[in-house]
Amino acid sequence: MDYNQVMQEMRNRALKCADEIKKHDTVHIVSHIDADGLTSAGIICKALQRRDINYSTRFLKQLDENAIEDIAGENYDLVIFTDLGSGMLEHIVSAGINAVVSDHHQPKGDTQIIQTHLNPHLFGVNGSSELSGSGTTYILASVLGNNHDLADLAIVGATGDFQHSKKGYLTGINRLILREGAENGVLHYKKDLTLFGKQTRPVFKLLQFSSDPFLPGLTGDEDACIEFLHNLGIRFRGDERWRRWVDCTQDEKQRIVSALMQHCVHSGVPSYKIERLVSEVYVLLKEQEGTEMRDSSEFSTLLNATARYDHADIGLAVCIGDRGEAYEKASKLLSEHRQNLVNGLMFVKENGVAKLNNLQYFDSGSNIKETIVGIIAGMSTTVVGDRSYPIIGFADTDDGVKVSARGTQDLLRQGLNLSEAISRTCDEVGGAGGGHDIASGATIPHEVKDEFIKKLDEIIGTQIGRSKKNS
């Protein structure tokens, strides 16, 4: 595929969206509550600010008919949907909402019913791995004005959406945006250790909290990690503070990576997991070194820690540039988020997962917050479960049961499409959902939970063409 040509075609479609936006003095922005949704909102808000267009915002866990009715009832002249909307196009139109939709999720229904609809799937590009919601909105912003400096936010959104996980680096239209950011001096990309926290955590903490890959004998054991570094002759304490990865010399980094790989080989870690120790990482050059915002992965986690705890306004303020009060609040929320992830993983580890023929699942009830159950599901296969099965997490909410499904690239190659499977199951037993082939979600009534998981198991079985015995 000629991605440069597709990028131009998307910009041509984006011009229609931009023309509609320019007609209005005030617009309303509706976005998703994850890192991709926050960066999408941040990009369009910055672009609107630069054109002196006023805006208001709201963030949603899911765009459903009730939310659309609420939005329609407020009679906005124009609503811009970012990182959501493509699955509800016909509902948006029937509600009488004048809309621009900038999304990357699998569209449903008549995709041309809204002419101001920008989505990579309309151009044959995979929205799960080749263009994020923030990347789509960046394309829109790029035709609204000189906004190429916002490429860094698009890359934060893409990594927050794990768009780089398929090959270990960003591909497709994402890569074109990455290059634009590099050319404009806001981004740098390189091969480096992929463990989380290189900007902010002491080196031994990188090893202690590594979950992907899991480091046998090191993950979860602080003393073992300190001894591991000591045996390599790595000075892990500076004059006033613990040394971080960014404080190490290139020689020290190479020694640590080499020793980690040897440790994993001797511990029987599969080669494909060892390869994930080093891959492409993305550095935001406008941000201060040693802060979460300097690394795209850490930045995205910081944003998740705001919106998923009902503080999307704080995450949006950080995206727009607040490095004072909003950043301090976000940092506190991040500490709480990390602890909640640890607690959630411990719950799954202690209670285990149940297996059906073609999937595995856990039901957290009210023990895991609905907004992070998907993250827990994605992380839990490194602690418990079987990566040859997709994993489904349930969490109770006031409106029903939140369902979060996560797959792997290996399962996608076998035919898995969780977006399609979740949507079909909801159509048959009740609920609303969708998403991506590798990660999807839904909200369903409490009373259909058992029926839902059995039907989902059947549909996934037809997709991947296997029938396993219960174990």
Side-chain angles (χ1 to χ4, degrees):
M1 180 180 290
D2 185 343
Y3 290 108
N4 286 292
Q5 180 180 337
V6 174
M7 172 78 107
Q8 188 56 53
E9 291 173 358
M10 290 192 69
R11 283 200 164 117
N12 291 340
R13 170 65 71 92
L15 285 169
K16 294 181 181 179
C17 303
D19 288 342
E20 181 60 37
I21 293 170
K22 292 173 187 176
K23 295 176 184 176
H24 303 276
D25 296 325
T26 303
V27 302
H28 187 60
I29 297 163
V30 180
S31 199
H32 196 210
I33 62 153
D34 61 3
D36 197 21
L38 275 171
T39 49
S40 297
I43 288 167
I44 197 64
C45 287
K46 290 284 285 186
L48 293 172
Q49 284 178 358
R50 291 168 179 178
R51 294 198 68 90
D52 293 322
I53 297 174
N54 296 316
Y55 60 84
S56 55
T57 60
R58 83 174 67 192
F59 292 87
L60 300 175
K61 298 170 185 174
Q62 183 173 310
L63 184 65
D64 55 21
E65 292 181 47
N66 290 335
I68 289 173
E69 287 179 13
D70 289 343
I71 294 165
E74 296 183 18
N75 295 314
Y76 297 104
D77 291 336
L78 178 68
V79 179
I80 303 175
F81 294 91
T82 60
D83 194 36
L84 40 67
S86 291
M88 300 293 286
L89 298 172
E90 293 172 357
H91 294 280
I92 290 170
V93 171
S94 64
I97 298 172
N98 181 32
V100 168
V101 177
S102 174
D103 194 7
H104 71 132
H105 295 95
Q106 189 76 46
K108 295 178 185 175
D110 182 358
T111 60
Q112 301 300 326
I113 197 170
I114 297 177
Q115 289 300 303
T116 49
H117 174 210
L118 189 65
N119 187 305
H121 288 281
L122 304 181
F123 302 86
V125 172
N126 189 330
S128 297
S129 59
E130 296 180 312
L131 187 64
S132 64
S134 54
T136 306
T137 306
Y138 168 80
I139 293 173
L140 172 57
S142 71
V143 301
L144 267 173
N146 183 18
N147 294 305
H148 294 291
D149 60 314
L150 303 181
D152 55 0
L153 283 178
I155 297 308
V156 172
T159 51
D161 212 46
F162 298 104
Q163 301 240 333
H164 58 308
S165 63
K166 184 174 183 178
K167 293 189 175 180
Y169 55 89
L170 290 170
T171 61
I173 306 292
N174 283 324
R175 193 143 202 93
L176 299 185
I177 295 173
L178 177 65
R179 289 171 180 164
E180 285 186 7
E183 290 166 3
N184 284 281
V186 297
L187 285 166
H188 175 63
Y189 53 100
K190 61 182 180 179
K191 284 285 188 74
D192 201 353
L193 187 72
T194 54
L195 300 187
F196 182 84
K198 294 187 295 296
Q199 292 288 329
T200 57
R201 284 179 170 172
V203 178
F204 70 88
K205 290 290 185 184
L206 290 186
L207 312 185
Q208 180 184 348
F209 291 106
S210 176
S211 60
D212 187 18
F214 183 87
L215 305 174
L218 295 176
T219 297
D221 190 333
E222 179 179 297
D223 291 339
C225 294
I226 291 174
E227 183 180 1
F228 178 83
L229 296 170
H230 178 75
N231 291 339
L232 291 176
I234 303 296
R235 183 173 57 87
F236 52 87
R237 186 76 189 254
D239 293 336
E240 297 180 357
R241 57 176 169 77
W242 297 103
R243 294 174 76 216
R244 304 156 302 178
W245 184 257
V246 293
D247 300 319
C248 294
T249 66
Q250 192 58 37
D251 174 68
E252 288 174 323
K253 291 177 180 178
Q254 289 174 350
R255 272 191 283 155
I256 293 170
V257 169
S258 177
L260 278 176
M261 288 186 167
Q262 291 177 24
H263 175 84
C264 287
V265 169
H266 294 151
S267 301
V269 177
S271 60
Y272 74 90
K273 290 187 178 182
I274 298 174
E275 290 170 3
R276 289 208 296 267
L277 276 170
V278 175
S279 66
E280 197 169 76
V281 300
Y282 308 103
V283 180
L284 280 65
L285 297 177
K286 292 188 296 184
E287 304 295 344
Q288 182 180 343
E289 188 169 85
T291 66
E292 289 89 352
M293 287 84 68
R294 182 77 171 182
D295 177 87
S296 66
S297 179
E298 290 192 63
F299 198 158
S300 69
T301 301
L302 179 81
L303 295 178
N304 273 328
T306 63
R308 293 181 187 273
Y309 296 90
D310 303 318
H311 291 288
D313 55 325
I314 294 174
L316 178 61
V318 172
C319 285
I320 293 175
D322 188 330
R323 297 295 177 266
E325 184 180 356
Y327 170 59
E328 289 179 11
K329 289 180 178 178
S331 296
K332 291 178 182 177
L333 288 167
L334 177 60
S335 296
E336 296 172 12
H337 175 58
R338 285 172 171 161
Q339 187 58 54
N340 287 336
L341 293 181
V342 170
N343 293 343
L345 278 173
M346 287 302 296
F347 174 87
V348 177
K349 186 175 182 180
E350 290 171 3
N351 292 274
V353 297
K355 276 187 180 178
L356 298 183
N357 290 337
N358 304 290
L359 60 77
Q360 57 191 332
Y361 71 95
F362 63 88
D363 187 351
S364 67
S366 58
N367 291 284
I368 296 176
K369 190 174 175 65
E370 60 177 289
T371 51
I372 64 168
V373 68
I375 301 175
I376 299 296
M379 297 172 67
S380 61
T381 53
T382 64
V383 178
V384 66
D386 183 343
R387 284 181 61 84
S388 65
Y389 291 75
I391 187 164
I392 318 298
F394 291 111
D396 291 344
T397 78
D398 294 337
D399 303 318
V401 178
K402 172 64 191 262
V403 182
S404 288
R406 297 293 184 269
T408 65
Q409 295 298 331
D410 287 341
L411 287 167
L412 294 193
R413 285 189 283 269
Q414 294 175 41
L416 178 70
N417 186 322
L418 287 172
S419 175
E420 180 183 299
I422 289 282
S423 295
R424 282 180 55 195
T425 307
C426 286
D427 289 343
E428 294 192 29
V429 306
H436 300 302
D437 51 6
I438 198 168
S440 191
T443 300
I444 62 173
H446 285 279
E447 61 270 17
V448 305
K449 185 162 54 178
D450 291 341
E451 185 183 0
F452 179 92
I453 199 68
K454 291 175 182 176
K455 176 57 67 174
L456 182 61
D457 182 59
E458 292 174 11
I459 291 174
I460 289 175
T462 62
Q463 287 183 341
I464 60 182
R466 72 181 181 191
S467 179
K468 290 189 173 181
K469 294 180 179 179
N470 286 337
S471 55

